[in-house]
Amino acid sequence: MPKVVNSEEITKSILGMSLKLFAQKGYNGLSMRGLAQELKMTTGTLYHYFKNKDELYQKIFTEFTLDDSQELLTIIENTKTFEERLDLFLEFLIKKETYFKEILLITLDANKLTPANVNMTGFFKMAVHIYESALMKTFKLKDPAQANFIFDYLLGQFCRSILLPNTKIDFKILRAYLVQMEPKNASH
């Protein structure tokens, strides 16, 4: 009897384990052969699921970006007030701080040697758009510039905590900014 393989489950497993490996070794520090060895599978098996490292990386980033956005929107879905959404958003960031720093490190590393790569640039723009759209929905923002500011502020905070490892991310400034932006009827 042939072995039943859950392709979707294997793909998710490869993506999750590869994220950690990219974060540890850097995008440019891993080859498909090296990834296959670390994942304890043959190179052929890895190529069966992903045609190259760029596709694997983009799939990781796309899947996790969409998952993050959906997770945040699900968390705030039943909130009644702006304050509740704000508290849950900040808890979400704190809970996923290490993960977001890993994603940022991988992104910077992947972009380091290919800054003119149009495919990566378009790909990164798409990911930023997904995150900013989630911010607009979370805080019921009307102006995309506000979501852009929040996203850029968070990038800066995560970069700072990477560069200064003993620095704790302080969300008080972000909280104060978001409270000022609260739409007048956001609690209903």
Side-chain angles (χ1 to χ4, degrees), residues 64-78:
F64 286 103
T65 301
L66 290 168
D67 288 351
D68 295 340
S69 297
Q70 189 55 52
E71 181 181 352
L72 176 59
L73 294 174
T74 300
I75 288 169
I76 59 107
E77 185 173 42
N78 295 318

PDB file of all heavy atoms in Angstrom, residues 64-78:
ATOM      1  N   PHE A  64       3.601  33.664   6.397  1.00  0.00           N
ATOM      2  CA  PHE A  64       3.645  34.191   7.752  1.00  0.00           C
ATOM      3  C   PHE A  64       3.069  35.603   7.834  1.00  0.00           C
ATOM      4  O   PHE A  64       2.433  35.958   8.827  1.00  0.00           O
ATOM      5  CB  PHE A  64       5.061  34.101   8.332  1.00  0.00           C
ATOM      6  CG  PHE A  64       5.433  32.687   8.699  1.00  0.00           C
ATOM      7  CD1 PHE A  64       6.274  31.948   7.887  1.00  0.00           C
ATOM      8  CD2 PHE A  64       4.920  32.084   9.828  1.00  0.00           C
ATOM      9  CE1 PHE A  64       6.605  30.633   8.200  1.00  0.00           C
ATOM     10  CE2 PHE A  64       5.239  30.774  10.163  1.00  0.00           C
ATOM     11  CZ  PHE A  64       6.080  30.045   9.341  1.00  0.00           C
ATOM     12  N   THR A  65       3.257  36.410   6.797  1.00  0.00           N
ATOM     13  CA  THR A  65       2.671  37.748   6.776  1.00  0.00           C
ATOM     14  C   THR A  65       1.144  37.651   6.785  1.00  0.00           C
ATOM     15  O   THR A  65       0.472  38.334   7.561  1.00  0.00           O
ATOM     16  CB  THR A  65       3.147  38.530   5.528  1.00  0.00           C
ATOM     17  OG1 THR A  65       4.572  38.633   5.558  1.00  0.00           O
ATOM     18  CG2 THR A  65       2.560  39.925   5.488  1.00  0.00           C
ATOM     19  N   LEU A  66       0.610  36.791   5.932  1.00  0.00           N
ATOM     20  CA  LEU A  66      -0.844  36.596   5.901  1.00  0.00           C
ATOM     21  C   LEU A  66      -1.355  36.015   7.214  1.00  0.00           C
ATOM     22  O   LEU A  66      -2.390  36.453   7.740  1.00  0.00           O
ATOM     23  CB  LEU A  66      -1.232  35.697   4.723  1.00  0.00           C
ATOM     24  CG  LEU A  66      -1.060  36.320   3.340  1.00  0.00           C
ATOM     25  CD1 LEU A  66      -1.198  35.257   2.249  1.00  0.00           C
ATOM     26  CD2 LEU A  66      -2.037  37.458   3.113  1.00  0.00           C
ATOM     27  N   ASP A  67      -0.620  35.040   7.767  1.00  0.00           N
ATOM     28  CA  ASP A  67      -1.013  34.440   9.050  1.00  0.00           C
ATOM     29  C   ASP A  67      -1.001  35.480  10.170  1.00  0.00           C
ATOM     30  O   ASP A  67      -1.916  35.519  10.995  1.00  0.00           O
ATOM     31  CB  ASP A  67      -0.094  33.277   9.421  1.00  0.00           C
ATOM     32  CG  ASP A  67      -0.307  32.038   8.562  1.00  0.00           C
ATOM     33  OD1 ASP A  67      -1.274  31.996   7.775  1.00  0.00           O
ATOM     34  OD2 ASP A  67       0.531  31.116   8.670  1.00  0.00           O
ATOM     35  N   ASP A  68       0.053  36.309  10.206  1.00  0.00           N
ATOM     36  CA  ASP A  68       0.145  37.357  11.240  1.00  0.00           C
ATOM     37  C   ASP A  68      -1.042  38.300  11.166  1.00  0.00           C
ATOM     38  O   ASP A  68      -1.664  38.630  12.175  1.00  0.00           O
ATOM     39  CB  ASP A  68       1.420  38.196  11.070  1.00  0.00           C
ATOM     40  CG  ASP A  68       2.688  37.413  11.282  1.00  0.00           C
ATOM     41  OD1 ASP A  68       2.640  36.346  11.921  1.00  0.00           O
ATOM     42  OD2 ASP A  68       3.744  37.880  10.787  1.00  0.00           O
ATOM     43  N   SER A  69      -1.334  38.754   9.952  1.00  0.00           N
ATOM     44  CA  SER A  69      -2.437  39.697   9.759  1.00  0.00           C
ATOM     45  C   SER A  69      -3.756  39.075  10.183  1.00  0.00           C
ATOM     46  O   SER A  69      -4.552  39.698  10.894  1.00  0.00           O
ATOM     47  CB  SER A  69      -2.509  40.130   8.298  1.00  0.00           C
ATOM     48  OG  SER A  69      -1.341  40.810   7.948  1.00  0.00           O
ATOM     49  N   GLN A  70      -3.983  37.839   9.767  1.00  0.00           N
ATOM     50  CA  GLN A  70      -5.226  37.156  10.130  1.00  0.00           C
ATOM     51  C   GLN A  70      -5.304  36.924  11.637  1.00  0.00           C
ATOM     52  O   GLN A  70      -6.359  37.091  12.243  1.00  0.00           O
ATOM     53  CB  GLN A  70      -5.356  35.829   9.381  1.00  0.00           C
ATOM     54  CG  GLN A  70      -6.708  35.178   9.557  1.00  0.00           C
ATOM     55  CD  GLN A  70      -7.859  36.088   9.164  1.00  0.00           C
ATOM     56  OE1 GLN A  70      -7.883  36.644   8.076  1.00  0.00           O
ATOM     57  NE2 GLN A  70      -8.806  36.270  10.060  1.00  0.00           N
ATOM     58  N   GLU A  71      -4.185  36.555  12.239  1.00  0.00           N
ATOM     59  CA  GLU A  71      -4.164  36.339  13.692  1.00  0.00           C
ATOM     60  C   GLU A  71      -4.534  37.623  14.427  1.00  0.00           C
ATOM     61  O   GLU A  71      -5.350  37.611  15.353  1.00  0.00           O
ATOM     62  CB  GLU A  71      -2.779  35.854  14.130  1.00  0.00           C
ATOM     63  CG  GLU A  71      -2.676  35.590  15.612  1.00  0.00           C
ATOM     64  CD  GLU A  71      -1.284  35.134  16.050  1.00  0.00           C
ATOM     65  OE1 GLU A  71      -0.415  34.863  15.198  1.00  0.00           O
ATOM     66  OE2 GLU A  71      -1.073  35.068  17.272  1.00  0.00           O
ATOM     67  N   LEU A  72      -3.941  38.739  14.018  1.00  0.00           N
ATOM     68  CA  LEU A  72      -4.243  40.012  14.669  1.00  0.00           C
ATOM     69  C   LEU A  72      -5.717  40.373  14.503  1.00  0.00           C
ATOM     70  O   LEU A  72      -6.379  40.752  15.470  1.00  0.00           O
ATOM     71  CB  LEU A  72      -3.361  41.130  14.095  1.00  0.00           C
ATOM     72  CG  LEU A  72      -3.636  42.538  14.619  1.00  0.00           C
ATOM     73  CD1 LEU A  72      -3.459  42.608  16.131  1.00  0.00           C
ATOM     74  CD2 LEU A  72      -2.745  43.547  13.914  1.00  0.00           C
ATOM     75  N   LEU A  73      -6.232  40.234  13.291  1.00  0.00           N
ATOM     76  CA  LEU A  73      -7.630  40.587  13.050  1.00  0.00           C
ATOM     77  C   LEU A  73      -8.581  39.670  13.818  1.00  0.00           C
ATOM     78  O   LEU A  73      -9.626  40.116  14.300  1.00  0.00           O
ATOM     79  CB  LEU A  73      -7.926  40.563  11.548  1.00  0.00           C
ATOM     80  CG  LEU A  73      -7.183  41.639  10.748  1.00  0.00           C
ATOM     81  CD1 LEU A  73      -7.412  41.446   9.253  1.00  0.00           C
ATOM     82  CD2 LEU A  73      -7.560  43.037  11.189  1.00  0.00           C
ATOM     83  N   THR A  74      -8.211  38.413  13.969  1.00  0.00           N
ATOM     84  CA  THR A  74      -9.027  37.479  14.743  1.00  0.00           C
ATOM     85  C   THR A  74      -9.013  37.856  16.225  1.00  0.00           C
ATOM     86  O   THR A  74     -10.047  37.823  16.896  1.00  0.00           O
ATOM     87  CB  THR A  74      -8.523  36.028  14.559  1.00  0.00           C
ATOM     88  OG1 THR A  74      -8.616  35.701  13.165  1.00  0.00           O
ATOM     89  CG2 THR A  74      -9.328  35.043  15.386  1.00  0.00           C
ATOM     90  N   ILE A  75      -7.849  38.244  16.721  1.00  0.00           N
ATOM     91  CA  ILE A  75      -7.708  38.628  18.133  1.00  0.00           C
ATOM     92  C   ILE A  75      -8.596  39.819  18.466  1.00  0.00           C
ATOM     93  O   ILE A  75      -9.234  39.860  19.514  1.00  0.00           O
ATOM     94  CB  ILE A  75      -6.232  38.938  18.471  1.00  0.00           C
ATOM     95  CG1 ILE A  75      -5.412  37.652  18.499  1.00  0.00           C
ATOM     96  CG2 ILE A  75      -6.106  39.688  19.792  1.00  0.00           C
ATOM     97  CD1 ILE A  75      -3.907  37.877  18.562  1.00  0.00           C
ATOM     98  N   ILE A  76      -8.656  40.808  17.583  1.00  0.00           N
ATOM     99  CA  ILE A  76      -9.402  42.034  17.891  1.00  0.00           C
ATOM    100  C   ILE A  76     -10.853  41.982  17.408  1.00  0.00           C
ATOM    101  O   ILE A  76     -11.614  42.910  17.644  1.00  0.00           O
ATOM    102  CB  ILE A  76      -8.685  43.281  17.309  1.00  0.00           C
ATOM    103  CG1 ILE A  76      -8.511  43.195  15.788  1.00  0.00           C
ATOM    104  CG2 ILE A  76      -7.357  43.497  17.970  1.00  0.00           C
ATOM    105  CD1 ILE A  76      -9.427  44.099  15.052  1.00  0.00           C
ATOM    106  N   GLU A  77     -11.218  40.890  16.765  1.00  0.00           N
ATOM    107  CA  GLU A  77     -12.524  40.769  16.116  1.00  0.00           C
ATOM    108  C   GLU A  77     -13.709  41.119  17.015  1.00  0.00           C
ATOM    109  O   GLU A  77     -14.629  41.819  16.610  1.00  0.00           O
ATOM    110  CB  GLU A  77     -12.664  39.338  15.589  1.00  0.00           C
ATOM    111  CG  GLU A  77     -13.900  39.075  14.796  1.00  0.00           C
ATOM    112  CD  GLU A  77     -13.853  37.676  14.192  1.00  0.00           C
ATOM    113  OE1 GLU A  77     -13.436  36.726  14.902  1.00  0.00           O
ATOM    114  OE2 GLU A  77     -14.222  37.561  13.031  1.00  0.00           O
ATOM    115  N   ASN A  78     -13.711  40.641  18.234  1.00  0.00           N
ATOM    116  CA  ASN A  78     -14.870  40.837  19.113  1.00  0.00           C
ATOM    117  C   ASN A  78     -14.691  41.952  20.131  1.00  0.00           C
ATOM    118  O   ASN A  78     -15.438  42.012  21.102  1.00  0.00           O
ATOM    119  CB  ASN A  78     -15.198  39.514  19.823  1.00  0.00           C
ATOM    120  CG  ASN A  78     -15.636  38.451  18.837  1.00  0.00           C
ATOM    121  OD1 ASN A  78     -16.407  38.730  17.911  1.00  0.00           O
ATOM    122  ND2 ASN A  78     -15.128  37.246  19.010  1.00  0.00           N
TER     123      ASN A  78
END
